[in-house]
């Protein structure tokens, strides 16, 4: 069964809207969660590493003020795409490791398909 | 720089065997993952190798050669539902996951 739950699965909204995506770990605590973006026919691109109780670590080229990450509890991380524009349309996926050891596999949420009109 | 290479696309026949290769160049190495991703869905974990050799899991097996910077995913008795992209990802010395672009596998009847 699923170990990571992501919501919503699909969002369609107007340009300028802010969109919040939730990622929850089910039945385990995740001090670290990961946020990825994937454009059609391309591989996963890590956007940021979300750390419980502290600031997220963003990858080079990812705007911190544009993609706000909050990891307020051990089971929930949120990604807010602020003032979204059509170029932000993409497939956003979160992941977590059931055991917080770095050589453990990441388990992914079902992803959120974001379409900005 | 760090790099993962895998073929863009492969085609195989239902019931057959297919091998998807992956070569990696990373600063340090802490293991290699294979994930399966169906179109429009998130990736699912298939295997992890950190030692040389073959790991078998049912119809899927994964092989690693650290000295050659090489891995492959072997799929036996192919089924139509195996049509998907297969992502290779290596963990570098900082435990950063370096992702390949994925291999799209097309299964024909």
């Amino acid at each position: 069964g699923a170990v990571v739950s992501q919501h919503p699965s699909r969002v369609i909204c107007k340009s300028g809207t802010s969109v919040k995506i939730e990622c929850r770990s089910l039945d385990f605590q995740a001090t670290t969660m990961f946020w990825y973006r994937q454009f059609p026919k391309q591989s996963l691109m890590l956007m940021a590493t979300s750390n419980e109780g502290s600031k997220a670590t963003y990858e080079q080229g990812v705007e911190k003020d544009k993609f706000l990450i909050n990891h307020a509890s051990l089971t929930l991380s949120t990604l807010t795409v602020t003032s979204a524009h059509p170029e932000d349309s993409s497939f956003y996926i979160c992941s977590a490791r059931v055991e917080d050891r770095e050589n453990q596999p990441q388990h992914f949420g079902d992803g959120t398909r974001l379409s900005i009109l | 720089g760090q790099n993962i290479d895998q073929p863009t696309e492969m085609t195989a026949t239902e019931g057959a065997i297919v091998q998807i290769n992956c070569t990696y160049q990373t600063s340090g190495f802490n293991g290699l993952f294979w994930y399966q991703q169906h179109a429009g869905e998130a990736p699912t974990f298939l295997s992890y190798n950190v030692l040389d050799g073959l790991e078998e899991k049912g119809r899927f097996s994964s092989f690693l050669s650290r000295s050659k910077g090489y891995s492959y995913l072997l799929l036996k008795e192919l089924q139509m539902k195996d049509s998907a992209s297969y992502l290779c990802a290596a963990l570098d010395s900082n435990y950063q996951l370096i992702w390949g672009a994925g291999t799209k596998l097309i299964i024909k009847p």
Side-chain angles (χ1 to χ4, degrees), chain A residues 2-114:
Chain A
V3 295
V4 177
S5 173
Q6 187 173 340
H7 179 80
S9 58
R10 182 163 188 121
V11 179
I12 302 172
C13 57
K14 293 181 180 179
S15 185
T17 307
S18 291
V19 178
K20 181 187 278 190
I21 303 169
E22 292 187 348
C23 181
R24 294 182 185 274
S25 57
L26 305 180
D27 300 325
F28 71 98
Q29 295 181 333
T31 54
T32 306
M33 291 185 176
F34 304 90
W35 286 99
Y36 291 87
R37 182 167 53 184
Q38 187 176 36
F39 292 106
K41 299 185 180 180
Q42 294 187 24
S43 190
L44 300 172
M45 188 191 82
L46 180 66
M47 299 175 66
T49 302
S50 173
N51 305 298
E52 188 268 334
S54 65
K55 291 183 180 180
T57 306
Y58 288 83
E59 296 300 301
Q60 194 171 6
V62 178
E63 300 174 58
K64 300 178 185 182
D65 296 332
K66 173 79 173 176
F67 300 99
L68 300 178
I69 290 173
N70 185 285
H71 194 153
S73 79
L74 286 170
T75 58
L76 174 65
S77 174
T78 60
L79 169 69
T80 301
V81 183
T82 61
S83 187
H85 292 287
E87 59 266 28
D88 299 321
S89 298
S90 187
F91 190 46
Y92 292 86
I93 321 173
C94 70
S95 70
R97 294 183 289 242
V98 174
E99 292 178 47
D100 201 16
R101 285 184 285 146
E102 288 154 321
N103 62 351
Q104 292 299 300
Q106 293 178 25
H107 294 273
F108 291 85
D110 288 337
T112 298
R113 190 159 302 282
L114 178 62

Side-chain angles (χ1 to χ4, degrees), chain B residues 4-67:
Chain B
I4 304 277
D5 283 315
Q6 52 181 131
T8 305
E9 188 173 295
M10 298 182 70
T11 303
T13 306
E14 190 177 16
I17 298 174
V18 71
Q19 178 175 309
I20 302 174
N21 296 324
C22 170
T23 57
Y24 61 89
Q25 291 115 32
T26 55
S27 51
F29 179 75
N30 280 298
L32 188 131
F33 294 91
W34 283 96
Y35 284 83
Q36 179 191 61
Q37 185 177 24
H38 284 100
E41 298 181 12
T44 55
F45 168 71
L46 290 178
S47 67
Y48 171 70
N49 295 66
V50 67
L51 300 176
D52 285 353
L54 187 68
E55 298 266 349
E56 297 186 70
K57 268 188 192 179
R59 292 190 300 114
F60 291 10
S61 302
S62 56
F63 172 83
L64 176 69
S65 167
R66 293 176 67 130
S67 61

